[in-house]
Amino acid sequence: MHQFMYVKPKDITEAVRILAENGEKVRVLAGGTDLIVRMVDKIWKPEVVIDIKGLTGLSGIREIDNYGVAIGAATPLNEIIGHPLIQQHFAVLAEGAHEIGSCQIRNRATLGGNLCNASPLADTAPALLVLDAVAVVQGEEERLIPMTEFFAGPGKTILARGELLKEIRIPYLPTESKGIYYKHARTKAVDLASVGVAVLALKPGEIRIALGAVAPTPVRAKKAEAFLSGKEITTGVIKEAVALVQEEVSPITDIRATEEYRREIIAVLVRRGLYEIQKFLRGE
Amino acid sequence: MMKHRIRFTINGEVREMEVKSNQRLLDLIRNDLDLTGTKEGCAGGECGACTVLVDGKAINSCLMLAVEADGKEILTIEGLAEGMVLDPIQESFVEHGALQCGFCIPGMIMSAKALLKKNPHPSEMEIREAISGNLCRCTGYEKIIEAILNVTQKQA
Ligand SMILES: Cc1cc2nc3c(=O)[nH]c(=O)nc-3n(C[C@H](O)[C@H](O)[C@H](O)COP(=O)(O)OP(=O)(O)OC[C@H]3O[C@@H](n4cnc5c(N)ncnc54)[C@H](O)[C@@H]3O)c2cc1C
Ligand code: FES
Ligand code: FES
């Protein structure tokens, strides 16, 4: 690894100041499972590395009265997966997070790192998209950005110079719900998604769908959602919804899968998700 | 700040050392502390050969900076046996012949250690899950899983 300056700031204010002063030369270190790999491979050579783990306000899970739950950006995935509030209300996020890497990786990797790394295949992103999560961004001031607007392209977010991701807020779902995350990969463990699909249903008839690894950023399938809204989920309806999802994605060919194969898998996973949702909405 | 003084516990012993910012925990363990039981396979979080416990949790020491160990408690494969008495997990690996070349074994045992600390009686699925980040090119995993299952049955 190249030489760099390692800094452990005392609080968020200091972290934000260092980020603002150093611009392109600085990188945030959370779990390091993306950052250290890229530094070892000499893809990234930041002059300053700023370790945000353990800063007050950046770690842990808390309930926000009359709203939902806030997850600190630097909270390790394993802590999120096992947390009772997440298990009880947002199991689909736990499913997504559980798909990441191995036990060792999840003990270090953080939610904020997964999102700020902004890979189109980030396994926590589809769940957060269907949950209508909100990113709390901290710079000189704080701003709230809906997850649907957080990603700007492969490896890019809307974070500006001098900003970091502070926490993710997820509103409680207003009615009885069911969420599912499917990941398709080449091997069962420690592989990246070729396609990821999250489906969420809210009684009586709202359905949300989000996908990873099928476009430059993780995406919501808004056209399919609008079409499905309030409809009885029949085989015909599912077929039409799958066709609409295909219009909203733009998969590419890469080392994990070809575009054509991705389109097949998208159809299979969306269909599978909607049949599960059909059972749920029918009370089966 | 390219150099840092850190204080940590390794295998029960408190140490204070100077480390470089670009040194990995794996380098500190193998090169500076001469604890070469921890292996380097892929250097990218994929193989688990470098697994150690930090504050009781299994992590890949190739993906952690040495400076991040400040204030932490580290356990490596060398810290398991007490004198000539092996840890029950090591004992069970020997009994089951759950190894061939041995390269993956320190990592496997550390993953098993983390699992059994948290969950003394895991199911076979839980064992498979716990070692899913540890690659073995030799054994086919079956004997490793049997060995870990057997530790828990003995203690039951
Ligand atoms: C073997 C292996 C397997 C993996 N498998 C998967 C997988 O299956 N699915 C998947 O989605 N990912 C996978 N990953 C990628 C990685 O583990 C995840 O993206 C992880 O969540 C990153 O979190 P981190 O805390 O380690 O991030 P870091 O490496 O610390 O940071 C990642 C990036 O985000 C920035 N950053 C981090 N936190 C913040 C913040 N709060 N504010 C602003 N910027 C920030 C960093 O500067 C860096 O650019 C894998 C990685 C490895 C090594
Ligand atoms: S050497 Fe660390 S996971 Fe392979
Ligand atoms: S025993 Fe050779 S790699 Fe596992």
Side-chain angles (χ1 to χ4, degrees):
Chain A
M1 249 185 288
H2 70 291
Q3 295 220 340
F4 54 82
M5 194 153 95
Y6 168 90
V7 190
K8 187 133 195 164
K10 63 174 191 318
D11 54 26
I12 297 184
T13 314
E14 191 186 346
V16 164
R17 181 177 55 74
I18 297 170
L19 286 175
E21 283 170 4
N22 290 280
E24 299 283 291
K25 290 184 295 188
V26 60
R27 284 262 178 197
V28 168
L29 167 69
T33 60
D34 280 313
L35 177 64
I36 296 178
V37 171
R38 272 185 216 141
M39 292 201 300
V40 167
D41 291 346
K42 302 188 168 46
I43 299 168
W44 289 347
K45 294 181 182 171
E47 288 170 33
V48 182
V49 166
I50 152 168
D51 188 354
I52 59 164
K53 276 187 300 295
L55 293 188
T56 311
L58 275 180
S59 298
I61 297 169
R62 67 191 166 90
E63 198 167 8
I64 304 175
D65 278 349
N66 301 318
Y67 172 79
V69 168
I71 306 173
T75 312
L77 296 173
N78 266 345
E79 202 175 313
I80 298 171
I81 295 164
H83 198 282
L85 280 173
I86 304 297
Q87 289 281 344
Q88 193 187 336
H89 301 285
F90 311 116
V92 64
L93 174 61
E95 278 178 33
H98 191 250
E99 287 294 339
I100 292 178
S102 60
C103 220
Q104 291 96 312
I105 296 281
R106 292 189 298 274
N107 276 334
R108 298 283 294 166
T110 65
L111 181 61
N114 195 227
L115 299 172
C116 293
N117 191 56
S119 166
L121 57 76
D123 277 309
T124 61
L128 291 176
L129 286 175
V130 294
L131 289 169
D132 276 344
V134 175
V136 182
V137 172
Q138 183 72 52
E140 243 177 84
E141 284 173 4
E142 190 179 280
R143 49 185 190 126
L144 302 185
I145 311 286
M147 265 336 287
T148 45
E149 292 164 25
F150 185 75
F151 302 108
K156 291 204 182 75
T157 68
I158 50 74
L159 289 182
R161 178 175 178 152
E163 285 186 328
L164 54 74
L165 178 61
K166 185 177 159 202
E167 67 181 18
I168 296 296
R169 291 186 190 157
I170 315 177
Y172 284 134
L173 296 162
T175 57
E176 200 191 335
S177 67
K178 182 182 175 72
I180 312 162
Y181 181 66
Y182 294 121
K183 169 175 176 171
H184 184 80
R186 295 161 302 179
T187 62
K188 267 196 214 159
V190 200
D191 192 16
L192 302 174
S194 338
V195 176
V197 174
V199 186
L200 180 85
L202 287 159
K203 279 187 177 169
E206 183 183 345
I207 294 175
R208 301 179 194 160
I209 303 170
L211 301 97
V214 303
T217 66
V219 286
R220 275 280 284 268
K222 287 280 187 186
K223 279 191 206 166
E225 291 180 6
F227 167 76
L228 286 165
S229 172
K231 282 210 178 61
E232 197 197 331
I233 310 299
T234 61
T235 300
V237 165
I238 290 178
K239 212 169 176 181
E240 280 188 66
V242 169
L244 285 171
V245 170
Q246 297 286 14
E247 287 177 20
E248 295 177 272
V249 298
S250 48
I252 56 164
T253 295
D254 66 11
I255 51 161
R256 280 178 285 281
T258 60
E259 176 190 339
E260 294 78 4
Y261 183 65
R262 281 202 161 89
R263 286 204 179 267
E264 287 294 330
I265 297 300
I266 291 165
V268 169
L269 297 185
V270 171
R271 201 183 302 133
R272 190 176 296 166
L274 290 175
Y275 275 117
E276 281 300 309
I277 293 301
Q278 178 190 52
K279 282 192 230 159
F280 165 73
L281 290 177
R282 287 179 177 170
E284 285 169 18
Chain B
M1 267 188 288
M2 306 284 187
K3 284 202 171 164
H4 304 263
R5 261 208 107 62
I6 62 166
R7 204 182 138 86
F8 56 98
T9 309
I10 185 148
N11 301 334
E13 198 184 321
V14 180
R15 299 290 299 252
E16 220 180 292
M17 291 180 74
E18 194 163 85
V19 296
K20 291 198 230 101
S21 56
N22 62 349
Q23 209 179 341
R24 302 166 303 170
L25 176 60
L26 177 62
D27 305 320
L28 174 74
I29 292 172
R30 286 183 56 88
N31 305 342
D32 298 348
L33 297 168
D34 250 341
L35 296 170
T36 53
T38 304
K39 305 299 181 204
E40 173 162 7
C42 66
E46 313 253 352
C47 75
C50 66
T51 304
V52 301
L53 305 199
V54 173
D55 290 344
K57 297 199 167 105
I59 63 111
N60 300 121
S61 61
C62 69
L63 293 187
M64 178 166 161
L65 300 176
V67 315
E68 295 180 80
D70 191 30
K72 303 267 188 271
E73 203 174 308
I74 299 158
L75 185 67
T76 71
I77 188 73
E78 289 87 351
L80 290 194
E82 294 195 20
M84 293 305 285
V85 183
L86 294 180
D87 183 276
I89 304 174
Q90 293 172 306
E91 197 70 64
S92 188
F93 270 64
V94 174
E95 259 173 44
H96 286 81
L99 66 151
Q100 290 181 28
C101 81
F103 192 84
C104 70
I105 300 299
M108 283 288 178
I109 291 183
M110 295 318 287
S111 283
K113 185 78 190 169
L115 170 70
L116 297 185
K117 267 187 171 187
K118 203 174 62 181
N119 177 0
H121 302 289
S123 64
E124 184 182 328
M125 273 317 290
E126 288 168 329
I127 293 172
R128 285 180 182 270
E129 149 111 22
I131 61 166
S132 65
N134 295 82
L135 284 182
C136 176
R137 299 299 303 269
C138 305
T139 66
Y141 302 99
E142 291 301 329
K143 288 195 171 181
I144 290 177
I145 293 162
E146 274 171 38
I148 301 171
L149 257 178
N150 214 260
V151 183
T152 74
Q153 281 159 4
K154 264 195 191 158
Q155 286 170 346

